[in-house]
Amino acid sequence: MAFKSLDFTLDKYQELCTVLAENYTVYTVSEYLSEKPEGKIAVLRHDVDRKIKNSLNMAKREHEMGIRSSYYFRYPSTFKPDLIRKIRDLGHEIGYHYEVLSKTNGDYPKAIALFQTELEEFRKICPVNTICMHGSPLSKYNNRDLWTRYDYHSYGISGEAFLSFEQTSDDFHYLTDTGRTWSGKRSLRDVIKTTSAHDDPVSLDSTDDLITWIRSTGGKKLYITAHPERWSANLGEWLIWSFLDFGMNVGKVFLQRNKA
Ligand SMILES: [Zn+2]
């Protein structure tokens, strides 16, 4: 099998970007929230959980296609100022992927203080308007619960990548690559809670399925989350990560069964 035809490679990602650019106007999270555009639009978000170099490779491919998107970085694990600057210079939005409730074991006052400190570190590099919670499947704390007690607007933040979209009346199709599938069945916490009927438009297992769906019908508004570490630049990396994802998915099925 040729590497190019494998799924979850940067080449495949570029194919997806091509079909997105042909069929939609693509927005960053911040742009969408401030402009509330109409028509066929797609919001493109990236959570940089690991393997930070992949995010720059992805950002470059998008830039070649004339696409701008939002990249959320963790502190300190994926916080690399030089690389963040490079991604910003390609025109992308930089956001803060916070996990302060997990880090402080659910201590709200400590968590909000840490939130401010870490946000300041990002703002030494570039402006940050939006944030996105890191949904660690193994932590018992849900980081977005921070906003049941505090208001992110007080910290100069205009939107949260989950909460702000749950509050909008716009009818989005939410698509995420969690578990290296687009079918949305592998995520425990990384889910936008929606009342719309579009959680799983059709069976979109592979990126080719997604591309075909976008070309044929698509949805009017798409919200796509792609984790850069899942999109490999070479075959060795692809094999290693496929193996690890398989292990993670087995683990999540175990957790889901034991929850029920
Ligand atoms: Zn994350």
Side-chain angles (χ1 to χ4, degrees), residues 47-49 74 97 133-135 227:
D47 297 351
V48 185
D49 288 338
R74 297 166 76 182
H97 199 35
M133 68 109 187
H134 173 62
H227 297 75

Side-chain angles (χ1 to χ4, degrees), residues 39 51 54 67 83 93 104 118-119 123 156 225-226 238 247 258:
K51 294 182 74 75
N54 285 31
I67 285 177
L83 191 138
E93 179 190 8
T104 57
E118 294 187 350
L119 180 60
R123 285 181 167 159
T225 306
W238 186 90
N258 283 284

Side-chain angles (χ1 to χ4, degrees), residues 88-153:
R88 180 212 49 195
D89 290 346
L90 292 169
H92 300 294
E93 179 190 8
I94 304 298
Y96 166 32
H97 199 35
Y98 65 99
E99 50 193 305
V100 290
L101 263 188
S102 335
K103 281 180 176 176
T104 57
N105 286 321
D107 184 323
Y108 282 73
K110 274 189 190 164
I112 196 68
L114 186 61
F115 177 85
Q116 276 184 279
T117 308
E118 294 187 350
L119 180 60
E120 278 313 305
E121 289 303 312
F122 280 88
R123 285 181 167 159
K124 287 176 187 169
I125 305 172
C126 59
V128 172
N129 298 322
T130 67
I131 53 173
C132 172
M133 68 109 187
H134 173 62
S136 169
L138 300 176
S139 169
K140 68 177 184 179
Y141 299 102
N142 194 337
N143 288 299
R144 51 184 270 167
D145 288 347
L146 189 64
W147 312 118
T148 59
R149 299 209 196 164
Y150 305 100
D151 180 2
Y152 50 74
H153 293 99

Side-chain angles (χ1 to χ4, degrees), residues 91-249:
H92 300 294
E93 179 190 8
I94 304 298
Y96 166 32
H97 199 35
Y98 65 99
E99 50 193 305
V100 290
L101 263 188
S102 335
K103 281 180 176 176
T104 57
N105 286 321
D107 184 323
Y108 282 73
K110 274 189 190 164
I112 196 68
L114 186 61
F115 177 85
Q116 276 184 279
T117 308
E118 294 187 350
L119 180 60
E120 278 313 305
E121 289 303 312
F122 280 88
R123 285 181 167 159
K124 287 176 187 169
I125 305 172
C126 59
V128 172
N129 298 322
T130 67
I131 53 173
C132 172
M133 68 109 187
H134 173 62
S136 169
L138 300 176
S139 169
K140 68 177 184 179
Y141 299 102
N142 194 337
N143 288 299
R144 51 184 270 167
D145 288 347
L146 189 64
W147 312 118
T148 59
R149 299 209 196 164
Y150 305 100
D151 180 2
Y152 50 74
H153 293 99
S154 343
Y155 305 93
I157 295 296
S158 62
E160 205 279 349
F162 289 80
L163 295 170
S164 301
F165 286 84
E166 288 174 10
Q167 288 154 6
T168 163
S169 54
D170 274 346
D171 210 2
F172 274 96
H173 289 275
Y174 293 101
L175 299 152
T176 173
D177 63 352
T178 303
R180 280 216 179 92
T181 163
W182 294 98
S183 67
K185 296 188 182 77
R186 294 277 181 237
S187 189
L188 292 181
R189 190 165 277 159
D190 191 5
V191 174
I192 293 181
K193 297 183 185 81
T194 165
T195 49
S196 86
H198 295 313
D199 286 336
D200 198 356
V202 277
S203 184
L204 300 175
D205 289 330
S206 69
T207 307
D208 281 338
D209 290 345
L210 178 56
I211 288 171
T212 305
W213 179 68
I214 288 174
R215 280 215 177 99
S216 57
T217 51
K220 195 177 173 202
K221 289 186 164 66
L222 307 184
Y223 180 119
I224 297 178
T225 306
H227 297 75
E229 79 265 14
R230 297 185 186 282
W231 298 79
S232 313
N234 59 60
L235 184 57
E237 193 182 68
W238 186 90
L239 288 169
I240 290 165
W241 282 93
S242 298
F243 181 72
L244 292 177
D245 267 351
F246 175 75
M248 266 305 261
N249 287 338

